[in-house]
Tab-separated table of all heavy atoms in Angstrom:
chain	number	residue	atom	x	y	z
E	201	PHE	N	86.575	130.692	46.267
E	201	PHE	CA	87.905	130.879	46.478
E	201	PHE	C	88.803	130.236	45.395
E	201	PHE	O	88.420	129.153	45.022
E	201	PHE	CB	88.371	130.391	47.875
E	201	PHE	CG	89.637	131.001	48.397
E	201	PHE	CD1	89.693	132.346	48.700
E	201	PHE	CD2	90.815	130.238	48.577
E	201	PHE	CE1	90.791	132.890	49.285
E	201	PHE	CE2	91.911	130.883	49.056
E	201	PHE	CZ	91.974	132.214	49.438
E	202	PRO	N	89.784	130.935	44.841
E	202	PRO	CA	90.525	130.454	43.671
E	202	PRO	C	91.180	129.075	43.779
E	202	PRO	O	91.578	128.531	42.780
E	202	PRO	CB	91.624	131.532	43.521
E	202	PRO	CG	91.080	132.685	44.104
E	202	PRO	CD	90.211	132.209	45.283
E	203	GLU	N	91.352	128.502	44.912
E	203	GLU	CA	91.992	127.208	45.055
E	203	GLU	C	91.032	126.008	44.669
E	203	GLU	O	91.533	124.914	44.487
E	203	GLU	CB	92.535	126.941	46.494
E	203	GLU	CG	91.441	126.801	47.517
E	203	GLU	CD	92.096	126.671	48.977
E	203	GLU	OE1	93.327	126.849	49.129
E	203	GLU	OE2	91.330	126.545	49.903
E	204	LYS	N	89.734	126.254	44.515
E	204	LYS	CA	88.824	125.196	44.181
E	204	LYS	C	88.736	124.983	42.677
E	204	LYS	O	89.038	125.870	41.867
E	204	LYS	CB	87.370	125.530	44.721
E	204	LYS	CG	87.376	125.718	46.162
E	204	LYS	CD	87.550	124.432	47.026
E	204	LYS	CE	87.617	124.659	48.588
E	204	LYS	NZ	86.510	124.964	49.293
E	205	LEU	N	88.318	123.753	42.191
E	205	LEU	CA	88.465	123.384	40.830
E	205	LEU	C	88.037	124.376	39.811
E	205	LEU	O	88.767	124.730	38.846
E	205	LEU	CB	87.791	121.986	40.627
E	205	LEU	CG	87.899	121.528	39.145
E	205	LEU	CD1	89.307	121.089	38.759
E	205	LEU	CD2	86.898	120.332	38.956
E	206	ILE	N	86.750	124.841	39.944
E	206	ILE	CA	86.212	125.638	38.843
E	206	ILE	C	86.882	127.056	38.807
E	206	ILE	O	87.321	127.424	37.714
E	206	ILE	CB	84.665	125.691	38.891
E	206	ILE	CG1	84.174	124.265	38.471
E	206	ILE	CG2	84.040	126.826	38.044
E	206	ILE	CD1	82.653	124.079	38.535
E	207	PRO	N	86.967	127.676	39.923
E	207	PRO	CA	87.644	129.052	39.732
E	207	PRO	C	89.110	128.952	39.388
E	207	PRO	O	89.577	129.646	38.623
E	207	PRO	CB	87.491	129.693	41.169
E	207	PRO	CG	86.964	128.620	42.034
E	207	PRO	CD	86.307	127.567	41.207
E	208	LYS	N	89.767	127.857	39.961
E	208	LYS	CA	91.155	127.718	39.663
E	208	LYS	C	91.353	127.510	38.172
E	208	LYS	O	92.235	128.133	37.527
E	208	LYS	CB	91.739	126.501	40.432
E	208	LYS	CG	93.220	126.345	40.064
E	208	LYS	CD	93.762	124.987	40.634
E	208	LYS	CE	94.344	125.071	42.000
E	208	LYS	NZ	94.963	123.896	42.494
E	209	THR	N	90.478	126.780	37.557
E	209	THR	CA	90.558	126.489	36.043
E	209	THR	C	90.291	127.698	35.270
E	209	THR	O	91.087	128.038	34.324
E	209	THR	CB	89.558	125.327	35.693
E	209	THR	OG1	89.820	124.198	36.386
E	209	THR	CG2	89.597	125.052	34.278
E	210	ILE	N	89.243	128.508	35.671
E	210	ILE	CA	88.942	129.766	34.985
E	210	ILE	C	90.096	130.628	35.023
E	210	ILE	O	90.594	131.189	33.984
E	210	ILE	CB	87.721	130.332	35.478
E	210	ILE	CG1	86.446	129.415	35.473
E	210	ILE	CG2	87.416	131.662	34.729
E	210	ILE	CD1	85.255	129.921	36.165
E	211	ILE	N	90.638	130.871	36.253
E	211	ILE	CA	91.666	131.847	36.421
E	211	ILE	C	93.040	131.414	35.631
E	211	ILE	O	93.667	132.278	35.024
E	211	ILE	CB	91.984	132.076	37.930
E	211	ILE	CG1	90.748	132.726	38.554
E	211	ILE	CG2	93.245	132.755	38.194
E	211	ILE	CD1	90.804	132.738	40.088
E	212	ARG	N	93.303	130.135	35.721
E	212	ARG	CA	94.522	129.725	35.009
E	212	ARG	C	94.438	129.858	33.509
E	212	ARG	O	95.353	130.132	32.836
E	212	ARG	CB	94.850	128.261	35.508
E	212	ARG	CG	95.435	128.216	36.907
E	212	ARG	CD	95.813	126.714	37.271
E	212	ARG	NE	96.924	126.339	36.457
E	212	ARG	CZ	98.204	126.576	36.835
E	212	ARG	NH1	98.496	127.293	37.973
E	212	ARG	NH2	99.268	126.134	36.074
E	213	ILE	N	93.241	129.612	32.989
E	213	ILE	CA	93.080	129.758	31.513
E	213	ILE	C	93.122	131.250	31.173
E	213	ILE	O	93.850	131.642	30.252
E	213	ILE	CB	91.623	129.246	31.079
E	213	ILE	CG1	91.567	127.732	31.274
E	213	ILE	CG2	91.411	129.619	29.565
E	213	ILE	CD1	90.147	127.106	31.015
E	214	ILE	N	92.496	132.151	32.015
E	214	ILE	CA	92.671	133.595	31.748
E	214	ILE	C	94.172	134.017	31.796
E	214	ILE	O	94.554	134.824	30.965
E	214	ILE	CB	91.841	134.386	32.796
E	214	ILE	CG1	90.395	134.218	32.666
E	214	ILE	CG2	92.197	135.977	32.673
E	214	ILE	CD1	89.426	134.821	33.784
E	215	LYS	N	94.872	133.419	32.765
E	215	LYS	CA	96.350	133.689	32.749
E	215	LYS	C	97.232	132.850	31.800
E	215	LYS	O	98.462	132.986	31.905
E	215	LYS	CB	96.814	133.464	34.228
E	215	LYS	CG	96.256	134.507	35.205
E	215	LYS	CD	96.974	134.424	36.463
E	215	LYS	CE	96.590	135.628	37.439
E	215	LYS	NZ	97.248	136.886	37.078
E	216	ASN	N	96.557	132.094	30.962
E	216	ASN	CA	97.304	131.250	29.954
E	216	ASN	C	98.244	130.246	30.533
E	216	ASN	O	99.389	130.046	30.055
E	216	ASN	CB	98.008	132.210	29.022
E	216	ASN	CG	97.897	131.747	27.565
E	216	ASN	OD1	97.094	130.790	27.295
E	216	ASN	ND2	98.613	132.250	26.619
E	217	LEU	N	97.783	129.685	31.711
E	217	LEU	CA	98.685	128.698	32.396
E	217	LEU	C	97.934	127.310	32.131
E	217	LEU	O	96.771	127.189	31.971
E	217	LEU	CB	98.684	128.875	33.819
E	217	LEU	CG	99.438	130.212	34.282
E	217	LEU	CD1	99.110	130.577	35.689
E	217	LEU	CD2	100.870	130.096	34.138
E	218	LYS	N	98.758	126.231	32.208
E	218	LYS	CA	98.232	124.897	32.011
E	218	LYS	C	97.246	124.590	33.148
E	218	LYS	O	97.416	125.090	34.261
E	218	LYS	CB	99.457	123.888	32.133
E	218	LYS	CG	100.331	123.943	30.866
E	218	LYS	CD	99.994	122.723	30.024
E	218	LYS	CE	100.987	122.665	28.780
E	218	LYS	NZ	100.468	121.842	27.812
E	219	ILE	N	96.322	123.604	32.892
E	219	ILE	CA	95.337	123.217	33.890
E	219	ILE	C	95.692	121.915	34.461
E	219	ILE	O	95.634	120.914	33.765
E	219	ILE	CB	93.932	123.093	33.305
E	219	ILE	CG1	93.577	124.254	32.295
E	219	ILE	CG2	92.830	123.009	34.364
E	219	ILE	CD1	93.765	125.656	32.859
E	220	PRO	N	96.086	121.888	35.803
E	220	PRO	CA	96.437	120.558	36.353
E	220	PRO	C	95.223	119.724	36.683
E	220	PRO	O	94.242	120.189	37.201
E	220	PRO	CB	97.130	120.866	37.652
E	220	PRO	CG	96.738	122.222	37.997
E	220	PRO	CD	96.202	122.958	36.697
Side-chain angles (χ1 to χ4, degrees):
F201 202 66
E203 67 187 1
K204 303 285 171 80
L205 177 69
I206 289 180
K208 183 193 264 186
T209 302
I210 300 169
I211 290 167
R212 288 183 67 85
I213 296 171
I214 293 172
K215 289 192 171 281
N216 224 9
L217 295 164
K218 291 256 185 195
I219 315 305

